[in-house]
Amino acid sequence: MQVSVETTQGLERRITISVPAETVDVEVKNRLRHIAKTQRINGFRPGKVPPSVIQKRYGQSVRQEVAGELMQRNFYEAIVAEKLTPAGRPEFVAKSNEDGKALEFDATFEVYPEVELKGLEDIAVERPDVEISDEDLDEMFVTLQNQHKTWKENKRKTKKGDKLTIDFTGRVDGEEFEGGKSEGFELELGAGRMIPGFEKDIIGMKVGEEKTITVTFPEDYHAENLKGKEAEFDIVVHKTEGPVVPKIDDEFATLFGIQEGGVEALRAEVRKNMSRELNQAVKTKVKEQVINGLVEAHELDVPKALIAQEVDVLRQQAMQRFGGQMDPKNMPELPAEMFEEQAKRRVVVGLLLGEVIKVNELKVDEAKVTELIESAASAYEDPQEVIEYYKTNKELSQQMQNVALEEQAVELVLASAKVTDKKASFQEIMNPEGK
């Protein structure tokens, strides 16, 4: 086997391989001989078909089959010998594939970029320093109360927080539009489900009241024909209900599985859950800064093949999310452009963290894996059952090992970075956009 390698452009390589004619011809003859013994051809007894007939009928297809296998086999032998690491599958082109001649072919493929870690000490990270206050705990209890609220019908003027049952009909330029009409529609005032101005203009209405309001669709509205358009809505109120939140007492505590200890036990449990979620949020925020710093400090050529693979993963995930809402057969193929930027970043992050792992010879810390599993399990009613499930499910266990190794890499980079602690409130970390 003769091999030559050339760089075509960027990360693309073309390797030219020549396989001796004797190697190819011997393999072809052996397969034709086997066919002659097993194939039934009219006019000939089994095993007595003349070689010329076998050659004429099967020779070309057998040679193509043998060539394909030899290209694969010799390609992998060549890249091992040349110490090349392909990123994605190669594209084979046979240049010569004739009886009595060497099989010569090109294989074009991309290689992984060379990654040289640098500037880790210049990565700046602000680590949130947060404590959960009694006020934070009180706010969480208000949220829990609202999650378990009930509704009581009333006849007064509506206010923010009430629930209305209404009919509405919308018009743009005097014409009704698709999706602009509904009957028996339930609307919680202040939930922000409708376009800006809609809820505000019906606060104060009463049962039986009718009103026409004027609102403007946002410029970024999803329906192209309604973007920025002024619309009129005829509103009829059929029913109004006010919220009734439960009292915070021992009975309230039982809603969350607290059978003993009452409100104090519930407060302790809620604080523990808040602490777990806060720790995860802080870890995520720090990790995000570390990864951003890594990406900004390194400029990498990224193999197109790896981006394409990641695009497929992201597209499949998107299809699965939408799959519950519509028949997959009727779903359009999502364009690659939707995912390319995110896919490229994921590939870059993977390459950089992979290099951190390789250079520092990191191995999976089983104690960290156990810690991650226990943390995930603590959010469930029966943590031990979840832990056992992870232990018996190889795929989930491997996923958690990958997460642990990635966290180890991030922690190693963090140890070299410029880290400053910054005071922050619970709400700033858990609800950064104030939503």
mmCIF file of all heavy atoms in Angstrom, residues 12 60-61 73 107 122-123 222 228 273 322-323 327 331 430:
data_model
loop_
_atom_site.group_PDB
_atom_site.id
_atom_site.type_symbol
_atom_site.label_atom_id
_atom_site.label_comp_id
_atom_site.label_asym_id
_atom_site.label_seq_id
_atom_site.Cartn_x
_atom_site.Cartn_y
_atom_site.Cartn_z
ATOM 1 N N GLU A 12 -9.139 20.376 6.124
ATOM 2 C CA GLU A 12 -9.422 19.302 5.174
ATOM 3 C C GLU A 12 -8.130 18.653 4.690
ATOM 4 O O GLU A 12 -7.149 19.329 4.365
ATOM 5 C CB GLU A 12 -10.202 19.854 3.984
ATOM 6 C CG GLU A 12 -10.709 18.760 3.040
ATOM 7 C CD GLU A 12 -11.536 19.327 1.904
ATOM 8 O OE1 GLU A 12 -10.946 19.666 0.859
ATOM 9 O OE2 GLU A 12 -12.761 19.433 2.077
ATOM 10 N N GLN A 60 -18.186 -7.367 -12.407
ATOM 11 C CA GLN A 60 -18.164 -5.927 -12.141
ATOM 12 C C GLN A 60 -18.682 -5.594 -10.741
ATOM 13 O O GLN A 60 -18.084 -4.804 -10.013
ATOM 14 C CB GLN A 60 -18.995 -5.184 -13.199
ATOM 15 C CG GLN A 60 -18.859 -3.660 -13.141
ATOM 16 C CD GLN A 60 -17.441 -3.190 -13.381
ATOM 17 O OE1 GLN A 60 -16.699 -3.764 -14.179
ATOM 18 N NE2 GLN A 60 -17.032 -2.147 -12.661
ATOM 19 N N SER A 61 -19.798 -6.217 -10.367
ATOM 20 C CA SER A 61 -20.376 -5.904 -9.053
ATOM 21 C C SER A 61 -19.484 -6.396 -7.923
ATOM 22 O O SER A 61 -19.334 -5.714 -6.895
ATOM 23 C CB SER A 61 -21.768 -6.520 -8.919
ATOM 24 O OG SER A 61 -21.712 -7.931 -9.015
ATOM 25 N N ARG A 73 -10.790 -0.412 4.581
ATOM 26 C CA ARG A 73 -9.754 -1.060 5.382
ATOM 27 C C ARG A 73 -8.418 -0.345 5.257
ATOM 28 O O ARG A 73 -7.754 -0.043 6.260
ATOM 29 C CB ARG A 73 -9.604 -2.515 4.926
ATOM 30 C CG ARG A 73 -8.646 -3.334 5.798
ATOM 31 C CD ARG A 73 -8.358 -4.671 5.120
ATOM 32 N NE ARG A 73 -9.596 -5.314 4.650
ATOM 33 C CZ ARG A 73 -9.622 -6.277 3.729
ATOM 34 N NH1 ARG A 73 -8.474 -6.693 3.172
ATOM 35 N NH2 ARG A 73 -10.756 -6.816 3.363
ATOM 36 N N ALA A 107 -9.251 9.757 -0.469
ATOM 37 C CA ALA A 107 -10.176 9.881 0.657
ATOM 38 C C ALA A 107 -10.036 11.298 1.193
ATOM 39 O O ALA A 107 -8.950 11.703 1.602
ATOM 40 C CB ALA A 107 -9.868 8.854 1.738
ATOM 41 N N ASP A 122 -6.233 34.568 32.766
ATOM 42 C CA ASP A 122 -6.862 35.861 32.465
ATOM 43 C C ASP A 122 -8.392 35.789 32.464
ATOM 44 O O ASP A 122 -9.060 36.811 32.293
ATOM 45 C CB ASP A 122 -6.380 36.371 31.098
ATOM 46 C CG ASP A 122 -4.887 36.680 31.094
ATOM 47 O OD1 ASP A 122 -4.392 37.162 32.137
ATOM 48 O OD2 ASP A 122 -4.222 36.432 30.073
ATOM 49 N N ILE A 123 -8.932 34.591 32.609
ATOM 50 C CA ILE A 123 -10.393 34.445 32.630
ATOM 51 C C ILE A 123 -10.936 35.051 33.927
ATOM 52 O O ILE A 123 -10.497 34.701 35.019
ATOM 53 C CB ILE A 123 -10.795 32.963 32.526
ATOM 54 C CG1 ILE A 123 -10.376 32.398 31.163
ATOM 55 C CG2 ILE A 123 -12.294 32.794 32.727
ATOM 56 C CD1 ILE A 123 -10.634 30.909 31.006
ATOM 57 N N HIS A 222 -45.500 37.038 16.375
ATOM 58 C CA HIS A 222 -45.179 35.859 15.550
ATOM 59 C C HIS A 222 -45.926 35.834 14.217
ATOM 60 O O HIS A 222 -45.434 35.258 13.244
ATOM 61 C CB HIS A 222 -45.463 34.574 16.338
ATOM 62 C CG HIS A 222 -46.897 34.418 16.741
ATOM 63 N ND1 HIS A 222 -47.851 33.893 15.902
ATOM 64 C CD2 HIS A 222 -47.536 34.730 17.891
ATOM 65 C CE1 HIS A 222 -49.017 33.873 16.519
ATOM 66 N NE2 HIS A 222 -48.860 34.368 17.730
ATOM 67 N N GLY A 228 -47.106 45.009 14.477
ATOM 68 C CA GLY A 228 -47.222 46.450 14.529
ATOM 69 C C GLY A 228 -48.601 47.001 14.193
ATOM 70 O O GLY A 228 -48.795 48.226 14.145
ATOM 71 N N ASN A 273 -34.712 23.001 50.020
ATOM 72 C CA ASN A 273 -34.905 22.944 48.574
ATOM 73 C C ASN A 273 -34.400 24.221 47.897
ATOM 74 O O ASN A 273 -33.789 24.163 46.821
ATOM 75 C CB ASN A 273 -36.379 22.732 48.238
ATOM 76 C CG ASN A 273 -36.885 21.366 48.645
ATOM 77 O OD1 ASN A 273 -36.093 20.436 48.812
ATOM 78 N ND2 ASN A 273 -38.180 21.227 48.832
ATOM 79 N N PHE A 322 -41.314 19.503 19.934
ATOM 80 C CA PHE A 322 -42.524 19.857 19.208
ATOM 81 C C PHE A 322 -43.412 18.646 18.953
ATOM 82 O O PHE A 322 -44.595 18.784 18.662
ATOM 83 C CB PHE A 322 -42.181 20.493 17.852
ATOM 84 C CG PHE A 322 -41.441 21.799 17.986
ATOM 85 C CD1 PHE A 322 -40.409 22.119 17.126
ATOM 86 C CD2 PHE A 322 -41.786 22.705 18.972
ATOM 87 C CE1 PHE A 322 -39.734 23.318 17.243
ATOM 88 C CE2 PHE A 322 -41.115 23.907 19.098
ATOM 89 C CZ PHE A 322 -40.085 24.222 18.241
ATOM 90 N N GLY A 323 -42.825 17.457 19.070
ATOM 91 C CA GLY A 323 -43.531 16.235 18.704
ATOM 92 C C GLY A 323 -44.811 16.015 19.473
ATOM 93 O O GLY A 323 -45.757 15.420 18.953
ATOM 94 N N ASP A 327 -48.298 15.954 14.823
ATOM 95 C CA ASP A 327 -47.878 14.688 14.242
ATOM 96 C C ASP A 327 -46.510 14.861 13.584
ATOM 97 O O ASP A 327 -46.345 15.719 12.714
ATOM 98 C CB ASP A 327 -48.896 14.253 13.180
ATOM 99 C CG ASP A 327 -48.626 12.846 12.661
ATOM 100 O OD1 ASP A 327 -47.491 12.360 12.849
ATOM 101 O OD2 ASP A 327 -49.538 12.251 12.079
ATOM 102 N N MET A 331 -44.598 17.440 10.391
ATOM 103 C CA MET A 331 -43.650 18.473 10.795
ATOM 104 C C MET A 331 -42.659 18.753 9.672
ATOM 105 O O MET A 331 -42.099 17.825 9.080
ATOM 106 C CB MET A 331 -42.886 18.050 12.054
ATOM 107 C CG MET A 331 -43.757 17.970 13.290
ATOM 108 S SD MET A 331 -42.833 17.458 14.744
ATOM 109 C CE MET A 331 -41.721 18.835 14.952
ATOM 110 N N MET A 430 -31.762 33.674 41.190
ATOM 111 C CA MET A 430 -32.792 32.732 40.773
ATOM 112 C C MET A 430 -33.780 33.322 39.760
ATOM 113 O O MET A 430 -34.437 32.592 39.029
ATOM 114 C CB MET A 430 -33.581 32.244 41.996
ATOM 115 C CG MET A 430 -32.729 31.560 43.048
ATOM 116 S SD MET A 430 -31.788 30.152 42.391
ATOM 117 C CE MET A 430 -33.115 29.077 41.858
#
